[in-house]
Amino acid sequence: MFRTLTATTIGLALGLVRAAAGEPTPDQVQFFENEIRPILTDHCYRCHSATAEKIKGGLLLDTREGVLRGGDSGPVIVPGNPDKSPLIIAVRYTDEDLQMPPKNKKLSDAQIAALEKWVKMGAPDPRRETAATKPASLNGKDHW
């Protein structure tokens, strides 16, 4: 019993260290890869990724850094608080001035619930910004 309790305690402690360091746990990575990345890829990257023809609102959702940085209007998530997160407000379609994806292409209830759960978890994200995912400039002011 002592060994089981010790192993459990060590496992929990390692999970807390990873979370504090911003490194997602294996379960969080699996949740992100299975539930969140497909939503972002299928519904957001067309306008909010480094490969988008035109990045809308200065918001990049294809890296962890982009999600945390937010866009022209500021941060889009408040880790741990979906009700205060503009991303969640937008996908819920509760604000007629902020609805994403636009043009009445609202996500399913299950997809919205997955995004809410992700934000409640602290928005764990295994992706990292690289030269390939970082645009040269979001607004052209940094060119020269």
Side-chain angles (χ1 to χ4, degrees):
M1 182 167 152
F2 180 72
R3 285 184 185 176
T4 304
L5 181 59
T6 303
T8 302
T9 304
I10 290 170
L12 289 171
L14 287 174
L16 291 173
V17 168
R18 280 191 185 118
E23 186 180 324
T25 66
D27 286 344
Q28 291 172 329
V29 170
Q30 183 177 12
F31 179 80
F32 180 86
E33 295 298 345
N34 293 337
E35 301 292 332
I36 303 307
R37 188 188 295 260
I39 295 169
L40 297 175
T41 301
D42 295 344
H43 301 281
C44 306
Y45 285 6
R46 183 173 177 202
C47 299
H48 301 291
S49 72
T51 59
E53 243 178 75
K54 181 180 178 189
I55 298 168
K56 303 282 179 103
L59 177 61
L60 292 171
L61 296 175
D62 55 348
T63 65
R64 175 181 180 266
E65 291 80 6
V67 170
L68 294 175
R69 187 173 35 247
D72 296 342
S73 300
V76 294
I77 61 162
V78 177
N81 194 340
D83 294 332
K84 300 260 186 213
S85 298
L87 176 76
I88 301 303
I89 295 166
V91 299
R92 286 176 177 164
Y93 270 50
T94 54
D95 179 342
E96 75 176 50
D97 295 326
L98 181 62
Q99 297 180 344
M100 290 292 148
K103 300 180 183 171
N104 294 318
K105 294 182 182 176
K106 185 177 179 187
L107 300 176
S108 71
D109 290 344
Q111 290 169 318
I112 294 168
L115 287 168
E116 291 170 341
K117 180 177 178 179
W118 177 59
V119 172
K120 279 182 191 174
M121 294 167 63
D125 188 340
R127 302 170 302 159
R128 294 296 181 262
E129 195 167 67
T130 65
T133 59
K134 187 176 182 180
S137 174
L138 292 178
N139 59 18
K141 293 178 184 176
D142 302 326
H143 183 65
W144 296 103

